Amino acid sequence: MKITIILLLLVNVLYSFNLTEEEKEYLLNKKTLKLHTEMDWEPYNFTENNKEMGFVNDYMKLLEKQLPVKFEFIKNKTWNEHLDALENNEIDIVSNMIKSKEREKRFNFNKNSIFTIKTAILSKKNYSNFKELKNKTVGTMEGYYINSVLKDKYPNIKVVRYTSIYKLIEAMINDKVDAITEDYSVLTYIAEKILLDENFSINALLDTELINKVFIATNKQNNILSSILDKAIQGVHPKEKEKLFHKWHMLHEHKYIPKNITKLSYKEKKFLEKQNTFSVCSKYNYYPISLETNKKLLGISADILNKISSSNNIKFDILSISSQKDFQDKIKTNQCDLVTFIKKDLHNFDNMYSTQTIYKNSFKILSSIKSVFVKNIEDMKTDIFFIRDKNYYLALKKQHPKLNLILESNLSKIMSNIEENTKAHFIENSLTVEYIIKDYGFDKFKINGSIPNIIVKATIGVNNNFDPILTEILNKSLNKIGKETINSIIKKYEIKEYEIKNSYNKELLFIIAILVLLGILHTFKSYIIKNEKIKFESLLYNATDGVHILDKNGKLVMCSDSFAKFLGYSKEEALTLSKKDWEINAVSLSEEQINNIIKKNEFIETIYRKKDGTNIDVQVYVKFIYLNKTKYLYASLRDITKEKKAQEKLEKSHKNLEKFVDTQDNIVFLIHKKTITFANKQFLEFVNCKSLEQFKEIHKCISEYFIENDRFFHLGKVPKNKSWIETLKDIPDNKRVISMVGKDFNPKAFSITVNDFDEDTLIVSFTDISHTVIDSIVLENKVIHDKLTNAYNREFFDQNYQNIINKYNKDNSKFALALLDIDHFKIVNDTFGHDVGDDVLIKFVKTIHKYSRKDDILIRWGGEEFILLLKVDSKDDLENALEHLRASIQKQRFEKVGEKTCSIGATIYNENEEIENTIKRADENVYKAKNAGRNKVVIS
């Protein structure tokens, strides 16, 4: 009973992917899939403490959840060993591989890439492209695709290859190379991990050839697994992938987002409406960076959180921390929503994202007052260096492997050792080290040098149970606070030394000078005030934008002529009025509310009543001013009545349209400046969302649903720097057909119409034409496929051979044609009958489909003769492919018949020749193969 239930569950999983019978059988028989794991390709695919880590391995685990098989991660092999293992069927999957012509001959690749890599240069001299590195030495990783690019296009660059990313970085630090090149995310991740300082620059290269998509690869003969993985990839929710991008800091995957954005989006505001209080854990006893006492926070982190709190009305609940272990335990058990501060890309917490860098800090060396100054840390091989943070310890060990480092968390023990031993030192960040010296004595300890090529980047940790949106909110809050404010906070906590040399007499002279100056100022004070008052009143009375000044009770004390005229009063009449006389539903705003409006640089929208009783919509700008030491409210207005009426008219027409389109059977939505602003019920039903807001939380655009199929329009057909909707408008109506999979997982076809609603808004309609299209596809399939074997037929060949030749030529490949003739097939029909003969033909075609390459095209030419069209680079390439196919056919066992072989004649198409001549040469080669004893491949 138990086994039956498990099998039923298994079948349910299989059917959710719409798999073929063959794919279902493959997965039912396969218990484990073996995947390659790399040693040190951080942050993508690497091993740490014998555990598979990185974006790729996390992504593969998402696929594993969707499949009824276990994934086994194979470790401790080099890249080339993994490739050989895949080719020899010793492993099933290489999880990350860039396509190349050579690799496509050896392996299958999935249709859709899983991420993109961008090449970058790391250097001390800020090299931004390879041309600048002419006659220089560049370090690269063994097996990285860039080696062939440098060899072909930049022969003047001397290339030195390394087997480890850390050896590569070490070569750069020690000036053994002028620059190193690797993927942008790899370099930034490692630079953060080893705390590489900012004297080293990392520049991403934007050349198209240096931006590569990364695919999952399988064995060349394993088309079934490749197809299953394609379907599993489609099942990965975009939000899950987005989380992995954040976790592994692969933000260059996303489209360019301008820096220093401060305004919260609608989605972010909604998030804070649901929750605006977050628990905070702070590192134990780490003043001035952080110090928690009685659930209150002190130090730099406290000041920055207070700024964030006032910036976007976010509240923080400070958790009590009793020890460093308690701090770590609370984080690991998800008690902390936020952590202040963690080191960017340099923490042990898998459940934490990082915000942008808040501040940067260097390392200082603390020593006994008697110790010799540390000029070069590399020369201190006999000295010992204490460090109390494990992450710092590991980073320093990577950069300075010969340094005698000791990890010790007990500060008192460290300081005791240093005081007694002049060859013992303590490495700590520059902010904390000053306070340690202050606590333990300026007369005993000193700052004794710094660590070169290393920098700490502090960030706020964000629990990844939250949507990445919280990280973006904090980043915007930090942008709003600004670097200047953050720097001033940090400066406040720096300990400075002051030399006081002023004598009593100098102080006395200074006081006398001040008194004299005050006397002079007093003499001119009345004149200045009078003069400024005249200037101010002149500007006020002549202002054209309805300026009016109110006292704290709302009484009008001054106004411009234009304000009085606007309300229909004389100047004298206006000055007898109060705010309540002209503002409808006047609300008395508190000083705090007004200050918030001023801070946000916002306007107040309200309604003013004129003397004749007419109501007018106005936009009012306010600020506080002081006149003769008295505080007043300064206001200027703008008439927005016409704008309001136009807006109301537009909103009314939109609502009428929305009511109408909700009654339609089609999927209909409005796009305003590339953003969907309305979607009808059919749209929401198709995407299985309750509201447009819910849809936007999950998806960026409806175009994510488009299936990449050359029969239909899809995103692969959209040119760069152009949106899909712009592209659609430029193509003929009969080409505006897409295919999408909805909540029922069945693909459907839609025709699209796009019309202008107003200047910036489009109405887009998707009409379901699935039955028409499917009938057309079924009919087309019947016309171009052989009824018995389902291979293509002559009709297909006649219609398409020229297009195939042109496509292969465009790819700089050769078009080859092979004629396959089953040996002694007549004997099968004569001996076993035509039914068995038909079964042989069907299995023969299945075998070719299984063991031929993904792009090869099989055509039944007649009887037991078949044509195979191949894309090849050379005659050798063609021979290898056909010999592999011939041997695979020979290994098959045909029911009742046993072994069957075939003779193959092949040739490479000569440019501009008649296709009949190509076929004739292949046919002649088949006869040569048969005359040579059959079961042969002959190529000319």
Side-chain angles (χ1 to χ4, degrees):
M1 181 67 180
K2 199 171 183 180
I3 293 170
T4 307
I5 292 169
I6 291 168
L7 284 171
L8 282 170
L9 288 170
L10 188 59
V11 169
N12 282 336
V13 171
L14 294 172
Y15 271 101
S16 71
F17 283 101
N18 198 22
L19 299 177
T20 65
E21 292 301 321
E22 195 175 11
E23 288 166 346
K24 293 170 192 172
E25 185 182 353
Y26 177 90
L27 287 177
L28 284 169
N29 293 331
K30 194 86 175 171
K31 293 180 181 178
T32 304
L33 289 174
K34 294 182 178 180
L35 285 69
H36 101 295
T37 309
E38 298 191 32
M39 288 183 272
D40 62 359
W41 197 39
E42 304 170 53
Y44 297 120
N45 190 338
F46 62 102
T47 305
E48 195 167 271
N49 299 324
N50 205 35
K51 183 184 177 185
E52 62 280 353
M53 303 284 284
F55 169 83
V56 170
N57 292 316
D58 282 357
Y59 184 81
M60 296 308 291
K61 287 170 186 175
L62 292 180
L63 299 188
E64 184 184 21
K65 287 179 184 177
Q66 302 180 68
L67 298 171
V69 288
K70 290 289 181 186
F71 283 5
E72 180 184 350
F73 294 86
I74 306 301
K75 304 177 181 74
N76 301 319
K77 287 180 182 286
T78 65
W79 172 251
N80 287 330
E81 285 171 346
H82 279 304
L83 296 192
D84 291 340
L86 181 63
E87 195 167 33
N88 297 327
N89 271 321
E90 294 166 11
I91 61 172
D92 300 291
I93 297 169
V94 166
S95 312
N96 47 261
M97 195 187 297
I98 297 168
K99 283 185 184 179
S100 69
K101 286 185 179 180
E102 186 59 39
R103 286 175 179 174
E104 284 187 276
K105 294 173 191 174
R106 299 173 66 189
F107 309 110
N108 276 338
F109 289 87
N110 281 89
K111 290 178 183 176
N112 298 314
S113 66
I114 56 172
F115 65 97
T116 305
I117 65 172
K118 297 180 180 179
T119 299
I121 296 172
L122 186 150
S123 65
K124 290 180 182 176
K125 295 190 176 178
N126 200 25
Y127 294 114
S128 59
N129 58 63
F130 287 131
K131 289 178 183 176
E132 294 174 2
L133 286 161
K134 185 178 179 181
N135 299 324
K136 303 288 184 184
T137 302
V138 173
T140 68
M141 284 294 292
E142 189 71 52
Y144 191 39
Y145 83 97
I146 200 67
N147 292 316
S148 59
V149 175
L150 293 176
K151 182 181 176 182
D152 295 341
K153 298 205 167 184
Y154 304 96
N156 292 318
I157 294 177
K158 183 185 175 184
V159 176
V160 181
R161 299 181 187 183
Y162 293 85
T163 56
S164 159
I165 187 66
Y166 292 105
K167 288 180 181 176
L168 187 65
I169 298 270
E170 188 181 346
M172 179 72 255
I173 292 170
N174 296 326
D175 297 319
K176 291 180 181 178
V177 292
D178 297 295
I180 63 174
T181 181
E182 239 291 351
D183 168 66
Y184 180 76
S185 280
V186 172
L187 291 178
T188 52
Y189 185 87
I190 299 294
E192 297 284 3
K193 188 170 182 178
I194 65 170
L195 307 177
L196 195 65
D197 77 11
E198 292 180 320
N199 291 327
F200 295 86
S201 61
I202 300 174
N203 289 313
L205 308 179
L206 302 179
D207 312 45
T208 308
E209 66 176 352
L210 302 177
I211 300 173
N212 284 279
K213 292 183 177 180
V214 178
F215 298 83
I216 298 172
T218 54
N219 184 277
K220 190 67 183 174
Q221 280 71 52
N222 200 343
N223 293 332
I224 295 174
L225 178 57
S226 188
S227 173
I228 291 168
L229 291 173
D230 274 331
K231 292 171 183 177
I233 287 169
Q234 292 294 325
V236 173
H237 200 292
K239 212 165 186 177
E240 291 295 324
K241 195 172 180 182
E242 183 81 9
K243 281 186 177 182
L244 294 186
F245 285 143
H246 276 265
K247 177 181 177 180
W248 296 105
H249 304 282
M250 293 166 58
L251 299 181
H252 77 271
E253 281 289 316
H254 308 300
K255 290 180 180 176
Y256 174 73
I257 299 171
K259 293 181 180 178
N260 300 323
I261 293 178
T262 58
K263 194 172 180 181
L264 297 185
S265 66
Y266 173 82
K267 186 177 172 184
E268 289 161 347
K269 287 176 183 175
K270 284 290 181 187
F271 177 87
L272 288 179
E273 282 176 15
K274 291 177 185 175
Q275 180 177 354
N276 75 334
T277 303
F278 304 96
S279 61
V280 178
C281 294
S282 193
K283 199 168 183 180
Y284 177 70
N285 198 18
Y286 223 69
Y287 196 80
I289 293 169
S290 61
L291 178 64
E292 179 273 323
T293 174
N294 298 323
K295 297 193 78 175
K296 286 186 178 179
L297 201 57
L298 303 174
I300 294 169
S301 58
D303 288 4
I304 288 174
L305 288 184
N306 287 337
K307 291 288 182 185
I308 291 172
S309 181
S310 59
S311 170
N312 279 314
N313 193 28
I314 300 171
K315 297 175 183 177
F316 301 109
D317 177 24
I318 310 301
L319 300 188
S320 180
I321 303 293
S322 59
S323 66
Q324 185 61 18
K325 185 179 183 302
D326 182 37
F327 169 71
Q328 291 175 342
D329 289 345
K330 277 187 167 66
I331 295 173
K332 288 174 181 176
T333 54
N334 288 316
Q335 295 179 55
C336 314
D337 298 335
L338 305 174
V339 177
T340 60
F341 292 117
I342 60 174
K343 280 71 73 179
K344 191 173 179 66
D345 296 339
L346 192 69
H347 55 82
N348 294 327
F349 309 116
D350 291 336
N351 59 341
M352 284 286 150
Y353 295 140
S354 294
T355 64
Q356 66 193 37
T357 300
I358 299 172
Y359 69 87
K360 296 165 187 173
N361 207 354
S362 60
F363 277 119
K364 299 292 184 185
I365 300 169
L366 187 155
S367 307
S368 163
I369 199 81
K370 301 171 187 175
S371 294
V372 177
F373 181 73
V374 179
K375 289 182 181 178
N376 185 352
I377 195 167
E378 293 293 342
D379 296 335
M380 315 292 283
K381 291 173 185 175
T382 58
D383 289 25
I384 58 172
F385 292 86
F386 289 98
I387 191 159
R388 58 176 174 162
D389 186 292
K390 187 178 179 181
N391 291 310
Y392 292 161
Y393 171 85
L394 294 171
L396 283 163
K397 203 73 180 166
K398 293 277 187 188
Q399 273 212 42
H400 303 281
K402 295 177 182 177
L403 212 60
N404 187 7
L405 292 171
I406 297 174
L407 184 62
E408 175 56 67
S409 59
N410 188 314
L411 180 60
S412 297
K413 191 174 177 181
I414 293 170
M415 299 307 288
S416 176
N417 269 283
I418 293 170
E419 187 178 6
E420 295 166 6
N421 184 358
T422 57
K423 284 191 168 287
H425 314 275
F426 177 29
I427 297 173
E428 184 56 276
N429 77 73
S430 57
L431 281 170
T432 313
V433 78
E434 292 174 339
Y435 281 83
I436 293 170
I437 291 175
K438 180 185 174 186
D439 290 344
Y440 282 86
F442 285 101
D443 57 330
K444 295 177 183 177
F445 303 99
K446 65 181 179 181
I447 293 175
N448 199 26
S450 59
I451 308 291
N453 302 327
I454 203 160
I455 201 86
V456 182
K457 294 181 182 179
T459 69
I460 296 173
V462 184
N463 193 302
N464 62 17
N465 284 334
F466 288 100
D467 189 291
I469 196 171
L470 180 56
T471 310
E472 294 305 318
I473 290 169
L474 292 173
N475 283 337
K476 288 181 179 180
S477 301
L478 292 167
N479 288 337
K480 198 170 184 180
I481 296 166
K483 288 183 180 178
E484 283 186 19
T485 303
I486 291 171
N487 289 339
S488 66
I489 289 171
I490 292 164
K491 225 166 191 177
K492 185 174 85 174
Y493 289 92
E494 289 176 356
I495 295 178
K496 299 178 178 68
E497 293 180 17
Y498 295 95
E499 267 190 88
I500 303 173
K501 294 182 180 178
N502 293 329
S503 67
Y504 172 80
N505 289 334
K506 284 184 180 178
E507 289 174 4
L508 185 60
L509 286 171
F510 178 72
I511 292 167
I512 292 167
I514 290 293
L515 290 172
V516 171
L517 181 61
L518 286 173
I520 294 168
L521 289 173
H522 181 72
T523 306
F524 287 101
K525 184 177 179 183
S526 301
Y527 170 77
I528 291 167
I529 291 170
K530 185 179 179 182
N531 210 31
E532 288 303 312
K533 187 180 178 186
I534 292 167
K535 282 183 185 178
F536 175 76
E537 289 176 351
S538 174
L539 288 169
L540 172 69
Y541 296 144
N542 292 301
T544 59
D545 52 352
V547 174
H548 46 297
I549 295 171
L550 311 172
D551 67 14
K552 65 180 181 179
N553 298 315
K555 175 83 173 61
L556 186 67
V557 294
M558 298 175 78
C559 71
S560 65
D561 294 339
S562 60
F563 176 74
K565 189 177 178 181
F566 178 78
L567 293 179
Y569 293 98
S570 68
K571 185 83 167 286
E572 291 73 22
E573 287 175 321
L575 291 171
T576 65
L577 303 174
S578 293
K579 182 182 175 185
K580 59 182 172 51
D581 295 318
W582 67 73
E583 186 171 358
I584 295 175
N585 301 323
V587 178
S588 181
L589 296 175
S590 68
E591 190 170 318
E592 184 182 355
Q593 287 173 312
I594 292 171
N595 276 326
N596 282 334
I597 292 167
I598 294 167
K599 275 181 188 176
K600 294 174 183 177
N601 202 24
E602 292 177 348
F603 295 92
I604 298 170
E605 284 194 9
T606 185
I607 301 172
Y608 279 11
R609 181 190 294 116
K610 296 177 75 170
K611 184 179 180 181
D612 62 6
T614 310
N615 292 339
I616 297 176
D617 292 294
V618 294
Q619 197 176 64
V620 185
Y621 169 78
V622 294
K623 66 180 290 185
F624 287 114
I625 61 170
Y626 285 87
L627 298 172
N628 297 331
K629 296 184 179 179
T630 304
K631 196 174 189 179
Y632 295 95
L633 185 68
Y634 170 98
S636 66
L637 65 83
R638 187 170 73 85
D639 185 352
I640 58 168
T641 308
K642 288 181 181 178
E643 292 174 28
K644 277 279 185 183
K645 285 180 180 177
Q647 186 181 348
E648 285 168 7
K649 188 177 179 182
L650 184 63
E651 285 174 358
K652 188 176 179 181
S653 64
H654 270 261
K655 282 178 182 176
N656 289 337
L657 176 68
E658 287 169 7
K659 285 178 185 176
F660 171 71
V661 296
D662 258 340
T663 65
Q664 302 299 299
D665 293 331
N666 298 352
I667 290 173
V668 182
F669 54 98
L670 299 183
I671 295 182
H672 180 71
K673 294 182 179 178
K674 299 183 181 180
T675 301
I676 298 178
T677 54
F678 167 79
N680 72 345
K681 290 177 183 176
Q682 285 69 25
F683 178 105
L684 298 173
E685 191 176 322
F686 182 83
V687 298
N688 198 26
C689 290
K690 292 180 181 177
S691 65
L692 183 58
E693 286 70 28
Q694 185 188 358
F695 171 80
K696 286 181 177 180
E697 285 177 9
I698 302 168
H699 304 283
K700 291 179 181 176
C701 184
I702 186 68
S703 60
E704 290 177 16
Y705 278 81
F706 295 178
I707 295 172
E708 193 166 323
N709 184 319
D710 284 339
R711 291 179 183 275
F712 303 100
F713 175 84
H714 56 80
L715 295 181
K717 295 182 179 182
V718 178
K720 285 184 178 178
N721 305 320
K722 207 169 185 181
S723 70
W724 69 271
I725 199 75
E726 290 168 336
T727 307
L728 262 180
K729 288 179 76 177
D730 292 340
I731 63 176
D733 290 350
N734 64 341
K735 298 287 186 183
R736 296 180 185 180
V737 181
I738 59 164
S739 179
M740 300 193 295
V741 174
K743 63 181 181 181
D744 60 358
F745 296 102
N746 291 319
K748 292 186 177 182
F750 298 87
S751 68
I752 302 179
T753 56
V754 183
N755 294 298
D756 293 326
F757 175 67
D758 57 35
E759 189 177 348
D760 296 315
T761 306
L762 298 171
I763 303 177
V764 185
S765 174
F766 290 2
T767 305
D768 190 342
I769 56 169
S770 301
H771 291 299
T772 308
V773 171
I774 289 166
D775 289 346
S776 172
I777 291 170
V778 168
L779 180 62
E780 184 184 329
N781 279 338
K782 284 180 180 178
V783 171
I784 63 173
H785 283 83
D786 174 56
K787 188 176 179 180
L788 174 66
T789 64
N790 205 35
Y792 287 116
N793 58 18
R794 284 199 177 206
E795 181 72 23
F796 170 83
F797 179 82
D798 292 340
Q799 289 178 16
N800 292 284
Y801 77 84
Q802 192 59 56
N803 291 334
I804 295 168
I805 291 169
N806 294 340
K807 185 176 183 297
Y808 289 1
N809 286 341
K810 195 176 179 181
D811 294 342
N812 294 321
S813 299
K814 299 179 188 298
F815 171 78
L817 186 147
L819 200 60
L820 294 78
D821 193 308
I822 302 175
D823 295 328
H824 301 301
F825 183 73
K826 188 174 182 302
I827 295 173
V828 174
N829 281 336
D830 293 345
T831 307
F832 301 100
H834 287 279
D835 288 346
V836 174
D838 287 350
D839 289 341
V840 169
L841 289 171
I842 292 166
K843 185 163 185 180
F844 181 78
V845 168
K846 282 185 178 179
T847 303
I848 293 173
H849 280 146
K850 184 175 181 180
Y851 292 105
S852 61
R853 300 170 314 170
K854 202 171 187 178
D855 295 329
D856 296 345
I857 299 169
L858 182 65
I859 297 148
R860 187 178 181 192
W861 200 239
E864 70 271 26
E865 279 191 322
F866 294 83
I867 279 180
L868 190 67
L869 307 181
L870 305 96
K871 179 167 72 170
V872 297
D873 293 329
S874 63
K875 188 176 176 181
D876 288 344
D877 187 18
L878 176 60
E879 186 175 4
N880 289 337
L882 293 177
E883 278 292 348
H884 171 74
L885 190 58
R886 181 200 60 74
S888 299
I889 293 167
Q890 187 181 4
K891 290 176 184 176
Q892 296 301 307
R893 289 294 173 268
F894 294 82
E895 194 174 347
K896 295 184 181 180
V897 177
E899 180 185 287
K900 287 308 294 176
T901 61
C902 78
S903 299
I904 304 174
T907 187
I908 291 176
Y909 172 80
N910 296 323
E911 192 173 353
N912 297 325
E913 76 170 334
E914 295 293 332
I915 195 66
E916 289 79 8
N917 293 335
T918 315
I919 297 169
K920 186 180 177 183
R921 283 200 307 278
D923 193 39
E924 289 168 354
N925 289 334
V926 170
Y927 281 104
K928 290 177 184 176
K930 286 187 178 293
N931 291 334
R934 293 184 169 82
N935 192 24
K936 297 281 191 300
V937 175
V938 176
I939 300 172
S940 64

